[in-house]
Amino acid sequence: MVETKKLSRKNLFVRHIMATGGALLDIGANIGLTSIPHAVLGDFHPVVAVEPEPRNFACLEWNAKANGAEMICRRAAVADKLGTLYLKIKSNPTHHHLSKDGKGEPVDVVTVDQLVDEIGRVSLVKVDVQGAEADVLRGAGDLLHKREAAWHMEIMGPKNAEPEDTEFIVSAVETHFDGFMDTRSDAPEILSVMHFRDYLGSLRRKFTDFMFVP
């Protein structure tokens, strides 16, 4: 992955310098692009990788073992309440997403707050859930109120998200964080959250990755 430049060393560096110390909660872990390097580097403890799609999850477990990464792998989706939802399986292994029509493969659902209760203090939450970011945040009220964890989230631009979801994300960011950084920017810098609404509204890309710091 390093040789083919599919591993973002910039993101690894940003997370390393801004959020190390406690646990890493990797939501939408896919095959371990985030969790395995940080586990190998020893940046976080424990490292908990959560992935719902069965083939991705099998690859995640294999990759973790092959790289000697001491981490916890859990097959589940993360949303706003516990239970069972349905996962739409796509041919592209990075495009699976929770169904809104009740069709797809059933998958167990947990919340961020439940996971935090199980693992203790969290330094970083990484989220890549293909448009379900608002539901992840809705299930993380306790952690957000603590204002102790940084979040690294892929967020859809307003043109590609439900308006109520975008409004919830903006409100959560303004309430629970002090600064944000667009890590896909050519010249990333930390900006005050008072500028987040305008920044997100002006986003031309379909999505981008934000680091939020309390």
Side-chain angles (χ1 to χ4, degrees):
M1 292 176 184
V2 172
E3 291 174 354
T4 59
K5 298 184 179 180
K6 290 184 178 180
L7 184 66
S8 175
R9 286 171 285 187
K10 180 172 72 173
N11 280 342
L12 285 173
F13 177 73
V14 168
R15 292 188 295 255
H16 177 84
I17 64 172
M18 297 180 69
T20 54
L24 164 62
L25 183 53
D26 185 1
I27 299 170
N30 200 265
I31 63 171
L33 291 175
T34 295
S35 49
I36 291 174
H38 284 300
V40 171
L41 290 170
D43 289 338
F44 303 92
H45 184 78
V47 173
V48 180
V50 186
E51 167 60 37
E53 202 278 326
R55 291 170 298 178
N56 284 349
F57 183 76
C59 193
L60 169 67
E61 287 193 308
W62 190 94
N63 285 340
K65 183 177 180 180
N67 285 279
E70 294 186 9
M71 52 190 282
I72 301 167
C73 299
R74 180 164 179 175
R75 190 186 166 212
V78 179
D80 56 340
K81 53 183 176 293
L82 307 180
T84 301
L85 290 175
Y86 295 88
L87 188 71
K88 285 284 185 71
I89 307 296
K90 299 294 185 179
S91 57
N92 187 316
T94 66
H95 290 178
H96 311 306
H97 60 86
L98 290 175
S99 168
K100 295 183 178 180
D101 58 12
K103 298 180 180 179
E105 180 168 332
V107 61
D108 290 338
V109 180
V110 297
T111 68
V112 168
D113 284 338
Q114 180 194 17
L115 292 168
V116 173
D117 286 343
E118 295 174 2
I119 63 179
R121 179 178 174 269
V122 173
S123 293
L124 176 67
V125 182
K126 170 261 176 180
V127 181
D128 185 352
V129 290
Q130 303 301 309
E133 304 86 37
D135 282 342
V136 172
L137 288 169
R138 289 184 179 105
D142 292 345
L143 178 62
L144 290 170
H145 283 297
K146 291 178 182 178
R147 294 177 62 92
E148 65 182 16
W151 287 61
H152 195 192
M153 300 183 68
E154 180 187 271
I155 293 181
M156 296 293 172
K159 294 181 180 179
N160 299 285
E162 296 294 335
E164 61 269 24
D165 287 344
T166 297
E167 182 58 34
F168 184 87
I169 290 170
V170 170
S171 177
V173 169
E174 292 176 340
T175 302
H176 300 293
F177 298 97
D178 292 330
F180 74 96
M181 173 191 291
D182 181 351
T183 62
R184 286 182 177 259
S185 170
D186 292 334
E189 59 179 330
I190 298 177
L191 303 173
S192 168
V193 293
M194 65 183 296
H195 302 300
F196 181 67
R197 182 182 297 273
D198 290 340
Y199 191 100
L200 186 62
S202 66
L203 191 67
R204 295 184 179 182
R205 300 188 296 275
K206 182 178 180 180
F207 60 85
T208 195
D209 294 326
F210 287 110
M211 175 70 83
F212 301 109
V213 289

